[in-house]
Structures are given as structure tokens and as C-alpha cells.
Short mmCIF file of all heavy atoms in Angstrom, two decimals:
data_model
loop_
_atom_site.label_atom_id
_atom_site.label_comp_id
_atom_site.label_asym_id
_atom_site.label_seq_id
_atom_site.Cartn_x
_atom_site.Cartn_y
_atom_site.Cartn_z
N PHE A 237 9.94 -20.32 -15.65
CA PHE A 237 11.25 -19.72 -15.38
C PHE A 237 11.52 -18.59 -16.34
O PHE A 237 10.94 -18.52 -17.43
CB PHE A 237 12.38 -20.76 -15.44
CG PHE A 237 12.72 -21.21 -16.84
CD1 PHE A 237 13.67 -20.54 -17.59
CD2 PHE A 237 12.10 -22.31 -17.40
CE1 PHE A 237 13.98 -20.94 -18.89
CE2 PHE A 237 12.41 -22.73 -18.68
CZ PHE A 237 13.35 -22.04 -19.43
N THR A 238 12.40 -17.71 -15.92
CA THR A 238 12.97 -16.70 -16.79
C THR A 238 14.48 -16.81 -16.65
O THR A 238 15.02 -16.70 -15.54
CB THR A 238 12.50 -15.28 -16.41
OG1 THR A 238 11.09 -15.19 -16.64
CG2 THR A 238 13.21 -14.23 -17.24
N ALA A 239 15.14 -17.06 -17.76
CA ALA A 239 16.59 -17.14 -17.80
C ALA A 239 17.11 -15.83 -18.37
O ALA A 239 16.73 -15.44 -19.48
CB ALA A 239 17.05 -18.31 -18.67
N GLY A 240 17.92 -15.14 -17.60
CA GLY A 240 18.46 -13.87 -18.04
C GLY A 240 19.92 -13.74 -17.72
O GLY A 240 20.49 -14.56 -16.98
N PHE A 241 20.54 -12.72 -18.26
CA PHE A 241 21.92 -12.42 -17.91
C PHE A 241 22.12 -10.92 -17.96
O PHE A 241 21.38 -10.19 -18.63
CB PHE A 241 22.93 -13.14 -18.82
CG PHE A 241 22.85 -12.77 -20.28
CD1 PHE A 241 23.57 -11.69 -20.78
CD2 PHE A 241 22.09 -13.52 -21.16
CE1 PHE A 241 23.51 -11.36 -22.13
CE2 PHE A 241 22.03 -13.21 -22.51
CZ PHE A 241 22.74 -12.12 -23.00
N THR A 242 23.10 -10.46 -17.21
CA THR A 242 23.45 -9.05 -17.22
C THR A 242 24.37 -8.81 -18.41
O THR A 242 25.34 -9.53 -18.61
CB THR A 242 24.18 -8.67 -15.91
OG1 THR A 242 23.31 -8.98 -14.82
CG2 THR A 242 24.50 -7.20 -15.89
N ARG A 243 24.02 -7.80 -19.20
CA ARG A 243 24.84 -7.48 -20.36
C ARG A 243 26.24 -7.10 -19.91
O ARG A 243 26.42 -6.19 -19.10
CB ARG A 243 24.23 -6.31 -21.14
CG ARG A 243 22.92 -6.58 -21.86
CD ARG A 243 23.11 -7.07 -23.28
NE ARG A 243 24.08 -6.35 -24.04
CZ ARG A 243 23.85 -5.24 -24.76
NH1 ARG A 243 22.65 -4.73 -24.80
NH2 ARG A 243 24.82 -4.66 -25.43
N PRO A 244 27.28 -7.78 -20.41
CA PRO A 244 28.65 -7.49 -19.97
C PRO A 244 29.07 -6.04 -20.17
O PRO A 244 29.77 -5.47 -19.34
CB PRO A 244 29.51 -8.43 -20.83
CG PRO A 244 28.60 -9.52 -21.22
CD PRO A 244 27.23 -8.90 -21.35
N ASP A 245 28.63 -5.43 -21.26
CA ASP A 245 29.01 -4.04 -21.53
C ASP A 245 28.00 -3.04 -20.99
O ASP A 245 28.14 -1.84 -21.21
CB ASP A 245 29.24 -3.83 -23.03
CG ASP A 245 27.98 -4.08 -23.85
OD1 ASP A 245 27.03 -4.70 -23.32
OD2 ASP A 245 27.94 -3.66 -25.01
N SER A 246 26.97 -3.54 -20.29
CA SER A 246 25.92 -2.66 -19.78
C SER A 246 25.33 -3.29 -18.50
O SER A 246 24.28 -3.92 -18.54
CB SER A 246 24.84 -2.49 -20.86
OG SER A 246 23.86 -1.58 -20.46
N PRO A 247 26.01 -3.13 -17.37
CA PRO A 247 25.59 -3.82 -16.15
C PRO A 247 24.22 -3.40 -15.61
O PRO A 247 23.69 -4.08 -14.74
CB PRO A 247 26.70 -3.49 -15.14
CG PRO A 247 27.45 -2.36 -15.71
CD PRO A 247 27.23 -2.36 -17.19
N ASP A 248 23.64 -2.34 -16.16
CA ASP A 248 22.30 -1.95 -15.72
C ASP A 248 21.21 -2.54 -16.61
O ASP A 248 20.04 -2.19 -16.49
CB ASP A 248 22.17 -0.43 -15.67
CG ASP A 248 22.29 0.26 -17.03
OD1 ASP A 248 22.71 -0.41 -18.01
OD2 ASP A 248 21.99 1.46 -17.11
N THR A 249 21.60 -3.47 -17.51
CA THR A 249 20.65 -4.07 -18.46
C THR A 249 20.54 -5.58 -18.24
O THR A 249 21.55 -6.28 -18.29
CB THR A 249 21.08 -3.78 -19.91
OG1 THR A 249 21.13 -2.36 -20.10
CG2 THR A 249 20.10 -4.38 -20.90
N LEU A 250 19.33 -6.05 -18.02
CA LEU A 250 19.04 -7.48 -17.96
C LEU A 250 18.60 -7.92 -19.35
O LEU A 250 17.65 -7.36 -19.90
CB LEU A 250 17.92 -7.78 -16.96
CG LEU A 250 17.46 -9.24 -16.95
CD1 LEU A 250 18.52 -10.13 -16.30
CD2 LEU A 250 16.12 -9.38 -16.24
N PHE A 251 19.29 -8.90 -19.91
CA PHE A 251 18.86 -9.49 -21.16
C PHE A 251 18.08 -10.75 -20.81
O PHE A 251 18.62 -11.65 -20.17
CB PHE A 251 20.03 -9.82 -22.09
CG PHE A 251 19.55 -10.27 -23.44
CD1 PHE A 251 19.36 -9.35 -24.46
CD2 PHE A 251 19.24 -11.60 -23.68
CE1 PHE A 251 18.88 -9.76 -25.70
CE2 PHE A 251 18.76 -12.01 -24.92
CZ PHE A 251 18.58 -11.08 -25.93
N VAL A 252 16.82 -10.81 -21.22
CA VAL A 252 15.98 -11.98 -20.98
C VAL A 252 16.20 -12.95 -22.13
O VAL A 252 15.82 -12.67 -23.27
CB VAL A 252 14.50 -11.60 -20.84
CG1 VAL A 252 13.63 -12.85 -20.72
CG2 VAL A 252 14.30 -10.68 -19.65
N TRP A 253 16.86 -14.05 -21.83
CA TRP A 253 17.16 -15.05 -22.85
C TRP A 253 15.93 -15.88 -23.18
O TRP A 253 15.61 -16.13 -24.34
CB TRP A 253 18.30 -15.96 -22.37
CG TRP A 253 18.58 -17.06 -23.32
CD1 TRP A 253 18.16 -18.36 -23.25
CD2 TRP A 253 19.31 -16.94 -24.55
NE1 TRP A 253 18.61 -19.06 -24.34
CE2 TRP A 253 19.31 -18.21 -25.15
CE3 TRP A 253 19.97 -15.89 -25.17
CZ2 TRP A 253 19.95 -18.45 -26.35
CZ3 TRP A 253 20.59 -16.15 -26.37
CH2 TRP A 253 20.58 -17.41 -26.95
N GLN A 254 15.23 -16.33 -22.14
CA GLN A 254 14.10 -17.23 -22.38
C GLN A 254 13.16 -17.18 -21.18
O GLN A 254 13.60 -17.16 -20.04
CB GLN A 254 14.64 -18.65 -22.55
CG GLN A 254 13.75 -19.60 -23.28
CD GLN A 254 14.50 -20.87 -23.67
OE1 GLN A 254 15.20 -21.47 -22.87
NE2 GLN A 254 14.33 -21.29 -24.91
N THR A 255 11.87 -17.14 -21.47
CA THR A 255 10.83 -17.26 -20.45
C THR A 255 9.90 -18.37 -20.88
O THR A 255 9.46 -18.39 -22.04
CB THR A 255 10.04 -15.95 -20.28
OG1 THR A 255 10.93 -14.94 -19.79
CG2 THR A 255 8.90 -16.12 -19.29
N ALA A 256 9.63 -19.28 -19.97
CA ALA A 256 8.70 -20.37 -20.26
C ALA A 256 7.77 -20.52 -19.06
O ALA A 256 8.21 -20.43 -17.91
CB ALA A 256 9.46 -21.67 -20.51
N VAL A 257 6.50 -20.73 -19.36
CA VAL A 257 5.50 -20.95 -18.32
C VAL A 257 4.71 -22.19 -18.71
O VAL A 257 4.27 -22.33 -19.85
CB VAL A 257 4.56 -19.73 -18.17
CG1 VAL A 257 3.44 -20.00 -17.17
CG2 VAL A 257 5.35 -18.49 -17.75
N SER A 258 4.53 -23.07 -17.75
CA SER A 258 3.74 -24.29 -17.97
C SER A 258 2.35 -23.91 -18.44
O SER A 258 1.77 -22.92 -17.97
CB SER A 258 3.66 -25.07 -16.66
OG SER A 258 2.65 -26.04 -16.71
N PRO A 259 1.76 -24.68 -19.36
CA PRO A 259 0.39 -24.37 -19.81
C PRO A 259 -0.60 -24.22 -18.66
O PRO A 259 -1.51 -23.41 -18.72
CB PRO A 259 0.03 -25.56 -20.70
CG PRO A 259 1.34 -26.07 -21.20
CD PRO A 259 2.32 -25.83 -20.06
N LEU A 260 -0.42 -24.98 -17.60
CA LEU A 260 -1.30 -24.89 -16.44
C LEU A 260 -1.26 -23.51 -15.79
O LEU A 260 -2.24 -23.07 -15.20
CB LEU A 260 -0.90 -25.96 -15.41
CG LEU A 260 -1.68 -25.96 -14.11
CD1 LEU A 260 -3.14 -26.34 -14.37
CD2 LEU A 260 -1.07 -26.93 -13.12
N TRP A 261 -0.13 -22.84 -15.90
CA TRP A 261 0.06 -21.56 -15.23
C TRP A 261 -0.01 -20.36 -16.16
O TRP A 261 0.21 -19.23 -15.72
CB TRP A 261 1.40 -21.59 -14.49
CG TRP A 261 1.34 -22.52 -13.33
CD1 TRP A 261 1.66 -23.85 -13.32
CD2 TRP A 261 0.89 -22.22 -12.02
NE1 TRP A 261 1.45 -24.38 -12.09
CE2 TRP A 261 0.97 -23.39 -11.26
CE3 TRP A 261 0.42 -21.05 -11.40
CZ2 TRP A 261 0.60 -23.44 -9.92
CZ3 TRP A 261 0.07 -21.11 -10.08
CH2 TRP A 261 0.16 -22.29 -9.35
N GLN A 262 -0.32 -20.58 -17.42
CA GLN A 262 -0.42 -19.45 -18.35
C GLN A 262 -1.72 -18.70 -18.11
O GLN A 262 -2.74 -19.28 -17.73
CB GLN A 262 -0.35 -19.95 -19.79
CG GLN A 262 1.04 -20.47 -20.13
CD GLN A 262 1.13 -21.08 -21.50
OE1 GLN A 262 0.18 -21.08 -22.28
NE2 GLN A 262 2.30 -21.63 -21.82
N GLY A 263 -1.66 -17.39 -18.32
CA GLY A 263 -2.86 -16.57 -18.20
C GLY A 263 -3.16 -16.08 -16.80
O GLY A 263 -4.20 -15.48 -16.56
N VAL A 264 -2.25 -16.33 -15.83
CA VAL A 264 -2.49 -15.86 -14.46
C VAL A 264 -1.43 -14.83 -14.03
O VAL A 264 -1.32 -14.52 -12.85
CB VAL A 264 -2.58 -17.02 -13.44
CG1 VAL A 264 -3.77 -17.92 -13.75
CG2 VAL A 264 -1.29 -17.83 -13.40
N GLY A 265 -0.66 -14.31 -14.98
CA GLY A 265 0.30 -13.26 -14.69
C GLY A 265 1.64 -13.72 -14.14
O GLY A 265 2.41 -12.92 -13.63
#
């Protein structure tokens, strides 16, 4: 998953809070 939010003072900016990928799925893009 990637958890993000739109910056309140900058609606054209996505702030990526956290990205996690299961070890099984790492390294495949």
C-alpha cells in the first residue's frame, strides 16, 4: 500500500506518508 494525502496548502502536491510492500512482492516494481 501507499498511504498519502493532499497537502492542504498545496492541492497539487501528494504527500506520501508511508509505502509498504510485502517481502514476497519486493523487487518486482
Side-chain angles (χ1 to χ4, degrees):
F237 73 89
T238 295
F241 62 87
T242 302
R243 291 270 315 273
D245 62 344
S246 185
D248 65 348
T249 301
L250 174 72
F251 187 91
V252 175
W253 176 261
Q254 202 167 47
T255 296
V257 175
S258 165
L260 177 66
W261 290 91
Q262 291 175 4
V264 296

